[in-house]
Amino acid sequence: MASAKSGKTSEEKNIAQGFSWDEFAVELAGSASGPLNLGAACTDRHVAAGRGDAVAIRWIGRHQDRRNIGYDELAAWSGRIAAVLSELGLGHGDSVAVLLDRVPELYASALGIWKAAGVYCPLSGAFGPGPLKARLDVGQARILIASEDLYLRKLVSSRAALDGLRQVLLVRAEDATGPLPEGCLDFKALVDGATPMAAHSTKAEDPAFLHFTSGTTGTPKGVVHAHGAVLGHLMTGRAVFGLTEADVFWCTADPGWVTSTAYGVIAPLVCGATLLVDEADVEPRRWYGILHDEKVTAWYTTPTAIRTMMRFGAALARSYRDNSLRVAASVGEPLNAEAVSWGAKALGVPFLDTWWQTETGAIIIANAPGQGRRPGSMGRVLPGVEAAVVRCEDGAAQMVTDADTVGELALRQGWPAMFSRYIGGDDRVGKCCRDGWYFTGDLVRRDADGFFWFVGRADDMIKCGAQQIGPFEVEGMLMDHPAVAEVGVVSKPDLLLREVPVAFASLNPGFEAGDALRAELLSFARQELGAALAPREIHFIAELPKTSTGKILRRALKARAVAELDGNELLPDLPPCPGRFDDE
Ligand code: AMP
């Protein structure tokens, strides 16, 4: 980076000086450069250390059914899954797509895929058939592991068009009877009959997991991480959450989001803690009960979930204040200071904000013990990573050394959890990695004490709760409807989800703008894209505003979206709002 002056505070320099990633590699693999397998690091290592009896996963089903899985059981189960995948011809670095809710098979499959040297590619059940098919295509999935229900509802019709997909393994409901859908194998029958296989001796740089982020050009981009990312999860599991074998750790992320892989699978298991999994979606009364009854000590959730809990009011929260929580943290969007202090009042611990992205693979900036805390900020950069605020001046990136100056957040390349490559779409690596730095696309400012404050995205992505929505993906699908001539999708501010996608459409001749067509388009979008990606509102417009080069003028649409506050279907999935937390 041109004329870079160090923007680090003296405290950051001190932390960085005494820090070495090699120590974590030696702990996991016995040497700094030897073979490293994520699946083995999360399971077999603990069994070899005599901790096979400890509970690795405590699972609570949607209907309160429960299951405890020990480290020894998980090690053997994932070894059998690895054997089945290898037997089915999974090659080194081949990807396995997984379409499962938060059920035990999801976690065992991830570990089994890693042991078999495959690439774990979890997909969100909230997506509709179109986005799922696109992700299977781009990810070049060779094998799909799915629940029978999700497969039948969302993928069976695209199966014939998925050329690279060789096998489909279905996880059936316990009471399922009758034959399996055509061309599918029974996951349980195959795995139960297999003999556990030893984990492959993968290298730290071998690919291990693949997540998708929607880009601005329409096609979802795959972000690939390697086995060595586990060093980042071990370090941050300890530095941010203080995880030890005594902890019960709960991460509420959807399986399709990188947070679920990094902190809903890897970090707690590699630290030897008990991973608590709740199959159900956000339901504050249930969540308070779980925090209390399961003696959760460390919790990782999102501002959207926190805001939902806040809306349920103080009385409910206070009745569960007697809990075992030691640390509660948040990720995905800015966490306002009010939410931080609400955590302290309602649950007895403040919510600590953390920042990272799919590409960074692990937490990079955090309010964490030993790092200091500043409510409303994302926190300070963690050890082992160098962060800078940069501005583009005269065509060259310059580090900003003055406090509180807004610029793009850049990270010096080379931390272990950094993504290794993109797949699909154009060459974005060339655009975001320059001169040894990774440019995050986020605008931030750093205060005089080294705390980072989020300002916004540099591009037009729509951040809706935990989802990053690329406007072009939504627009492309709406254009498939015969009534739509042109369409622009932009974000609209939302109190709960931060932003929601709204669409502005002009119509083809012969179609009449009105409530009937609006309802039809909304339902078409939900069916094709799934509720998570579908626009919440559709406005009809005679002609879309354009730039002189013919590009849709998004700024103008955004202004209009804010002005159009009433009149359309708004957030139909919101939970009831019985009242806010009243400050004492
Ligand atoms: P994803 O890669 O989908 O996890 O999204 C990463 C993006 O989410 C970041 O680039 C930020 O724009 C946003 N983000 C994540 N954590 C935070 C945070 N603590 N505060 C503000 N924005 C965040």
Side-chain angles (χ1 to χ4, degrees):
M1 200 179 304
S3 67
K5 275 200 246 165
S6 172
K8 280 193 286 185
T9 65
S10 56
E11 181 176 338
E12 282 166 359
K13 279 181 187 148
N14 290 340
I15 292 171
Q17 269 161 18
F19 181 88
S20 157
W21 285 110
D22 286 354
E23 284 172 21
F24 293 91
V26 171
E27 179 179 344
L28 292 185
S31 86
S33 56
L36 181 59
N37 183 287
L38 246 170
C42 289
T43 58
D44 305 345
R45 198 175 117 255
H46 300 303
V47 177
R51 297 196 62 250
D53 287 347
V55 177
I57 297 179
R58 187 182 304 159
W59 178 78
I60 305 171
R62 219 175 280 281
H63 307 294
Q64 298 290 355
D65 30 338
R66 306 167 62 87
R67 186 169 164 192
N68 276 343
I69 303 169
Y71 272 100
D72 48 5
E73 184 185 347
L74 192 59
W77 190 11
S78 53
R80 287 199 300 277
I81 294 171
V84 168
L85 296 173
S86 301
E87 189 65 26
L88 290 174
L90 186 79
H92 204 106
D94 282 349
S95 69
V96 181
V98 180
L99 180 60
L100 292 170
D101 289 332
R102 285 180 287 254
V103 292
E105 288 81 359
L106 175 84
Y107 306 88
S109 294
L111 297 160
I113 293 164
W114 292 326
K115 287 186 175 182
V119 176
Y120 169 59
C121 175
L123 300 170
S124 172
F127 287 149
L132 285 175
K133 179 179 177 296
R135 283 158 179 78
L136 283 160
D137 267 336
V138 174
Q140 296 171 352
R142 295 279 171 265
I143 297 179
L144 168 70
I145 301 175
S147 73
E148 185 170 10
D149 169 54
L150 285 171
Y151 175 74
L152 288 176
R153 282 197 287 126
K154 308 209 171 193
L155 280 174
V156 72
S157 54
S158 353
R159 173 84 188 265
L162 289 164
D163 299 334
L165 189 64
R166 295 190 198 125
Q167 305 285 356
V168 175
L169 275 63
L170 293 187
V171 177
R172 310 194 81 188
E174 272 183 10
D175 55 357
T177 52
L180 278 168
E182 200 187 328
C184 298
L185 300 167
D186 186 333
F187 176 88
K188 184 172 188 314
L190 284 176
V191 172
D192 285 356
T195 305
M197 182 188 108
H200 269 274
S201 295
T202 41
K203 298 197 215 70
E205 61 272 23
D206 285 344
F209 55 98
L210 161 63
H211 282 269
F212 286 95
T213 160
S214 295
T216 47
T217 57
T219 346
K221 313 286 186 305
V223 181
V224 180
H225 287 92
H227 284 264
V230 66
L231 304 185
H233 304 131
L234 180 62
M235 188 280 277
T236 53
R238 290 177 181 160
V240 178
F241 299 101
L243 289 184
T244 70
E245 295 162 1
D247 278 297
V248 177
F249 181 83
W250 183 19
C251 168
T252 61
D254 177 275
W257 189 21
V258 67
T259 301
S260 170
T261 300
Y263 295 93
V265 184
I266 304 171
L269 294 181
V270 78
C271 291
T274 295
L275 165 63
L276 184 116
V277 177
D278 179 30
E279 189 186 8
D281 296 324
V282 192
E283 209 282 83
R285 199 175 297 277
R286 177 181 170 108
W287 278 22
Y288 284 126
I290 290 176
L291 286 170
H292 180 268
D293 299 346
E294 305 302 330
K295 302 196 172 14
V296 173
T297 56
W299 193 33
Y300 202 23
T301 190
T302 61
T304 303
I306 296 167
R307 286 194 291 267
T308 304
M309 294 180 92
M310 288 170 78
R311 288 168 65 137
F312 269 72
L316 182 62
R318 280 198 206 98
S319 57
Y320 291 96
R321 202 171 185 282
D322 172 24
N323 59 52
S324 308
L325 270 180
R326 202 171 38 67
V327 52
S330 155
V331 66
E333 2 167 21
L335 186 71
N336 52 346
E338 188 197 358
V340 176
S341 57
W342 182 84
K345 279 182 272 183
L347 297 168
V349 289
F351 282 105
L352 305 178
D353 196 11
T354 65
W355 177 96
W356 59 293
Q357 333 174 284
T358 307
E359 283 87 342
T360 70
I363 300 171
I364 296 290
I365 293 174
N367 287 278
Q371 291 273 119
R373 297 167 187 183
R374 189 154 292 172
S377 82
M378 310 191 304
R380 286 183 165 134
V381 67
L382 289 170
V385 186
E386 187 177 345
V389 180
V390 298
R391 290 173 81 93
C392 204
E393 274 160 30
D394 303 328
Q398 305 275 345
M399 273 199 209
V400 173
T401 49
D402 297 338
D404 290 319
T405 308
V406 173
E408 185 173 355
L409 175 64
L411 307 171
R412 193 187 283 282
Q413 285 175 244
W415 70 98
M418 180 181 162
F419 75 110
S420 26
R421 64 190 176 99
Y422 286 115
I423 56 169
D426 52 2
D427 172 30
R428 292 204 308 165
V429 175
K431 289 184 195 143
C432 64
C433 294
R434 291 191 305 278
D435 302 333
W437 289 82
Y438 164 67
F439 293 80
T440 65
D442 276 3
L443 300 177
V444 298
R445 63 183 172 82
R446 178 167 46 185
D447 67 22
D449 299 318
F451 287 90
F452 286 84
W453 297 77
F454 186 76
V455 174
R457 278 296 295 174
D459 61 20
D460 280 318
M461 299 293 287
I462 301 167
K463 190 73 195 156
C464 179
Q467 302 281 353
Q468 282 261 54
I469 300 176
F472 285 97
E473 189 171 11
V474 183
E475 289 165 10
M477 187 282 310
L478 281 171
M479 289 292 291
D480 287 343
H481 191 284
V484 176
E486 272 194 312
V487 63
V489 171
V490 292
S491 64
K492 172 175 171 173
D494 180 83
L495 274 181
L496 187 65
L497 294 166
R498 185 171 142 204
E499 291 178 339
V500 290
V502 299
F504 289 84
S506 62
L507 299 180
N508 283 317
F511 290 90
E512 202 176 303
D515 287 345
L517 183 58
R518 178 175 293 123
E520 183 183 324
L521 286 172
L522 285 168
S523 122
F524 173 72
R526 284 182 159 237
Q527 200 181 332
E528 290 299 312
L529 292 165
L533 298 194
R536 304 305 199 271
E537 304 173 20
I538 293 183
H539 301 278
F540 297 117
I541 189 167
E543 212 173 306
L544 290 175
K546 303 260 179 69
T547 63
S548 55
T549 53
K551 291 197 172 110
I552 296 171
L553 201 51
R554 291 173 189 281
R555 252 180 304 126
L557 288 181
K558 278 191 182 184
R560 188 134 175 207
V562 174
E564 303 262 9
L565 279 175
D566 296 308
N568 280 308
E569 186 186 352
L570 272 174
L571 300 175
D573 293 329
L574 279 188
C577 176
R580 289 183 56 77
F581 183 84
D582 46 339
D583 285 348
E584 290 137 305

